[in-house]
Amino acid sequence: MSDQGFSDLQKRYLEGFTSGLQIAQRMRGLPAPAVSAQPLSTGPSGETAPAGPEAIHFEAQNRFTSEGKKLVAEEKAKRERHPLDRWDELLKRAEAGEFPKGTDIFCTKFFGLFYVAPAQDSYMCRLRLPNGILSSFQFRGIADLAERYAGGYSHVTTRANLQIREIKAQDGPKVLMGLYELGIINRGAGADNIRNITGSPTAGIDPQELIDTRPLARELHYYILNHREFYGLPRKFNIAFDGGGMIGVLEDTNDIGFAAVRVPDGKAVEPGVYFHLQLGGITGHSDFGRDTGVLLKPEQCIPVAAAVVRVFIEQGDRTDRTKARLKYVLDRWGLERYLQEAEKHLPFRLIRFPIEDCEPRQPVNKHAHIGFHPQKPVGLYYVGVALPVGKLTVAQMRGIAAIAERYGSGTLRLTVWQNLLISDIREQDIAAVKGAIQDLDLAWRANSIRAGLIACTGNTGCKFSAANTKYHAERIAEYLEQRIELDQPINIHLTGCHHSCAQHYIGDIGLLACKIAKGDDQEVEGYHIFVGGGYGSEQRLAHEIRRNVPADEAPAYLKTLLECYLKHRLGPQEGFAVFSQRYPGEQFKHLLEHYSAEAA
Ligand code: SF4
């Protein structure tokens, strides 16, 4: 197909379209859905398993009930009627102006609608944006929906996704239909499903990348949307593709992480770019992805993801939600047995190749998600725009879309650091883009504090949160910005509960919200403080150094902590992660106590 005569925007659209056409070609190697060839099994009450692709779920549940175990309420609800078959119920409730109750709240999340009471008496809608990439026209459309049916703002999430909030009961289906018309199909954005597929945010434009992750993220996205058995897993499931570029995607915190590697000449396999498979990452449960030693050709990634998920469907716990993640099957079975089971679902054997025999990954640049950076092709730039803890008003969304259309290619890229990139800007337009971003009251040159500041939804929108994380994150940034100057990027992650949506275990500094008793029958919001977390080459789980710091004392506490770092690091080149990892266990605490006593 010739692209002569098309505008840049149209070319980008066609690029996405042709990448979509590749899906069909790549899918030819995929195994057929694993519908059981056995006679259909029956449940404890004698009901017959459905004949469709979801039969494998029914059979997995039966294994537990036949052992006398009790399915959790969510499993019973999925079994009673597939949540994706509940569209009519959704419409009926919307007509009556009612929100769901009981397990219907859970089932409605299959449509990406979360009833978030008591935090807010409204729906939150979560989208699905493969690789975190969307077009300016989609961004405008989301802004229109957020203005018309929601609170007039959106949040960028830590899965490079968007959420809009404060949606009335009667407007839930209208938001969904609006998204579908924009080409955003968000089925499975919540509940027991495979969440937004993340990929390197600079995919396709990154001078350092080994491979463009966009086609893989898209293929997997559409594979999931078109395979009903991939809905209603034992619990949620995360998958990420890292292309080896400048900005990390935290693939080692996902249930499945595909990490691009280059195999040099002279090894047992052909030299070239492959993916190394990691399994079982879940930092909220103190685990990074385990390196399986499996090397995959890019075209093998989707079948392998499908096979790994199918084994999880068969083996994941259906009786205890706290143990229903992939990690626990791996703990029970070990990697080798899991891989052998996955292989039964594949038309090819898995190749083992040690990660040590691959070229080391180029380091990520912790500054690269903010500010202007050269991209491919030479002469063009992308800019990372800092968003205050991921929040954007609809006016800012429209402004960003306009900048992307006027000076870029109309492409927007969200990152897991809760900010966004505008790509394909010509050098001569950089000054104009800087001004346009500032006119929107947004920053392209975040100082080191704000650039790495991440906060989960917090108690204004999530019932699990013990504190107003986004508000406190802003206060911390304001306080520190005026009092401390950093020459190294710092990641500060605030998370509202042990679910750890903001991944406090991998931040340089992590804050986990808590309630602190104060006087009789009174409590204040506060945080437990962690240090020493890292990802990628600095992979490490943070350790706790202080409990119960009241929220209004947290900014000053962090200031002392950062001053201590500046004084005791080995030089300006030593980042906070490396510094703090030199003081494991209690040692960091003692260093800080010593520094505080000296400074007093
Ligand atoms: Fe809610 Fe907890 Fe996730 Fe924060 S970490 S958004 S409080 S579930």
Side-chain angles (χ1 to χ4, degrees):
M1 184 188 294
S2 163
D3 62 4
Q4 281 176 357
F6 290 117
S7 69
D8 281 351
L9 199 58
Q10 287 167 325
K11 282 181 196 165
R12 286 285 166 185
Y13 177 78
L14 289 171
E15 195 179 302
F17 175 70
T18 49
S19 148
L21 289 180
Q22 290 163 10
I23 296 167
Q25 291 158 5
R26 293 197 189 210
M27 288 300 169
R28 283 186 203 124
L30 285 173
V35 180
S36 172
Q38 304 294 319
L40 293 178
S41 59
T42 52
S45 335
E47 72 271 40
T48 307
E54 62 262 38
I56 55 171
H57 294 275
F58 202 92
E59 291 179 359
Q61 291 166 336
N62 286 355
R63 278 196 305 103
F64 290 97
T65 53
S66 64
E67 291 166 11
K69 294 179 180 161
K70 275 197 178 152
L71 299 177
V72 291
E74 289 84 354
E75 290 298 318
K76 288 182 189 158
K78 289 188 278 190
R79 189 178 177 92
E80 193 181 295
R81 186 158 62 260
H82 197 295
L84 293 179
D85 294 338
R86 296 170 186 247
W87 179 253
D88 292 350
E89 293 171 29
L90 185 69
L91 294 182
K92 223 173 180 176
R93 275 197 297 270
E95 237 171 71
E98 290 169 0
F99 287 109
K101 295 187 181 79
T103 50
D104 286 346
I105 296 174
F106 165 79
C107 292
T108 309
K109 292 179 189 173
F110 277 63
F111 292 104
L113 282 179
F114 296 61
Y115 178 46
V116 291
Q120 288 171 330
D121 190 29
S122 57
Y123 282 126
M124 176 271 280
C125 181
R126 187 182 293 153
L127 281 49
R128 283 189 87 97
L129 305 165
N131 213 118
I133 295 180
L134 72 169
S135 69
S136 54
F137 92 84
Q138 288 174 317
F139 209 52
R140 273 182 203 284
I142 297 163
D144 290 348
L145 291 171
E147 183 173 68
R148 187 154 178 202
Y149 299 120
Y153 60 92
S154 69
H155 283 143
V156 178
T157 76
T158 52
R159 285 206 69 75
N161 200 354
L162 282 169
Q163 293 179 171
I164 56 177
R165 312 189 74 94
E166 299 182 45
I167 301 164
K168 293 193 188 87
Q170 55 270 33
D171 292 335
K174 291 177 198 159
V175 170
L176 295 180
M177 288 186 275
L179 290 174
Y180 299 161
E181 282 160 12
L182 291 169
I184 298 169
I185 311 297
N186 66 336
R187 264 183 243 127
D192 296 349
N193 298 304
I194 304 171
R195 304 298 177 81
N196 193 40
I197 306 300
T198 54
S200 297
T202 45
I205 61 167
D206 193 321
Q208 165 183 317
E209 75 181 359
L210 296 177
I211 190 166
D212 180 352
T213 58
R214 290 175 300 176
L216 290 166
R218 281 169 56 86
E219 284 180 30
L220 188 52
H221 171 79
Y222 287 109
Y223 187 77
I224 293 162
L225 289 180
N226 289 296
H227 282 78
R228 206 172 142 93
E229 75 273 23
F230 276 15
Y231 287 85
L233 311 183
R235 273 221 65 188
K236 73 170 177 177
F237 202 92
N238 294 325
I239 305 179
F241 293 91
D242 171 48
M246 293 188 291
I247 304 179
V249 71
L250 302 179
E251 75 286 356
D252 50 1
T253 66
N254 285 250
D255 294 281
I256 303 178
F258 293 103
V261 288
R262 185 186 295 285
V263 174
D265 282 332
K267 301 290 178 185
V269 298
E270 286 231 335
V273 173
Y274 295 81
F275 282 93
H276 231 261
L277 176 69
Q278 303 171 352
L279 292 181
I282 172 170
T283 57
H285 294 224
S286 309
D287 244 346
F288 282 104
R290 305 164 203 198
D291 177 39
T292 61
V294 168
L295 191 72
L296 299 167
K297 294 177 188 165
E299 61 270 25
Q300 292 176 322
C301 290
I302 310 301
V304 166
V308 169
V309 172
R310 288 203 166 100
V311 177
F312 177 59
I313 290 170
E314 291 162 358
Q315 297 300 328
D317 200 314
R318 309 273 180 162
T319 62
D320 179 355
R321 301 280 289 171
T322 63
K323 297 277 185 293
R325 297 292 299 269
L326 175 63
K327 163 195 158 63
Y328 293 98
V329 184
L330 295 171
D331 286 352
R332 183 155 48 89
W333 270 9
L335 268 179
E336 202 42 51
R337 181 172 171 198
Y338 199 100
L339 292 171
Q340 282 169 12
E341 288 298 319
E343 241 171 358
K344 292 179 186 166
H345 294 275
L346 288 167
F348 53 83
R349 299 298 307 272
L350 296 172
I351 298 171
R352 311 305 159 99
F353 188 83
I355 188 79
E356 298 76 27
D357 283 358
C358 304
E359 287 178 6
R361 188 201 192 284
Q362 292 281 310
V364 295
N365 173 353
K366 283 189 172 181
H367 283 297
H369 64 285
I370 300 290
F372 287 84
H373 300 270
Q375 64 165 78
K376 291 190 295 192
V378 174
L380 293 181
Y381 290 76
Y382 75 84
V383 59
V385 182
L387 311 175
V389 286
K391 188 170 174 177
L392 277 165
T393 65
V394 292
Q396 288 170 326
M397 291 173 76
R398 290 181 183 124
I400 290 281
I403 295 171
E405 283 160 7
R406 177 151 185 211
Y407 300 108
S409 58
T411 308
L412 297 166
R413 299 155 177 266
L414 309 180
T415 83
V416 297
W417 309 106
Q418 291 185 318
N419 72 311
L420 65 79
L421 318 180
I422 305 170
S423 56
D424 314 305
I425 298 164
R426 293 179 308 168
E427 190 162 6
Q428 59 265 40
D429 291 329
I430 287 178
V433 172
K434 284 179 182 173
I437 291 171
Q438 280 160 208
D439 287 348
L440 294 172
D441 222 6
L442 293 171
W444 56 268
R445 188 175 43 196
N447 67 19
S448 297
I449 304 284
R450 220 167 265 264
L453 191 66
I454 294 180
C456 79
T457 301
N459 63 7
T460 56
C462 178
K463 67 178 178 185
F464 297 114
S465 186
N468 190 343
T469 49
K470 283 196 188 292
Y471 174 80
H472 294 143
E474 288 276 23
R475 300 293 77 76
I476 286 169
E478 278 166 15
Y479 184 89
L480 294 178
E481 272 167 3
Q482 290 166 24
R483 291 168 177 83
I484 200 158
E485 209 157 291
L486 291 171
D487 48 11
Q488 284 277 352
I490 291 280
N491 290 325
I492 302 177
H493 296 207
L494 287 85
T495 206
C497 77
H498 66 279
H499 290 122
S500 193
C501 296
Q503 313 231 60
H504 65 287
Y505 281 120
I506 60 158
D508 290 313
I509 302 172
L511 288 86
L512 174 62
C514 62
K515 295 279 189 215
I516 305 168
K518 196 178 176 196
D520 292 343
D521 302 332
Q522 293 228 345
E523 50 185 25
V524 294
E525 295 177 4
Y527 293 91
H528 305 318
I529 314 287
F530 295 71
V531 297
Y535 61 94
S537 61
E538 295 172 346
Q539 186 186 89
R540 176 102 43 120
L541 290 169
H543 64 278
E544 190 180 279
I545 54 163
R546 173 90 187 264
R547 291 184 71 75
N548 299 325
V549 177
D552 54 4
E553 293 173 22
Y557 183 80
L558 294 196
K559 175 175 165 274
T560 308
L561 213 161
L562 290 170
E563 285 170 347
C564 175
Y565 153 66
L566 290 174
K567 176 155 188 219
H568 288 280
R569 65 184 179 175
L570 292 180
Q573 77 291 345
E574 187 175 61
F576 190 90
V578 175
F579 162 76
S580 56
Q581 288 167 10
R582 279 200 290 116
Y583 296 93
E586 296 287 291
Q587 289 182 34
F588 195 99
K589 220 159 132 177
H590 294 149
L591 176 76
L592 192 61
E593 279 163 10
H594 186 68
Y595 174 81
S596 304
E598 256 183 12

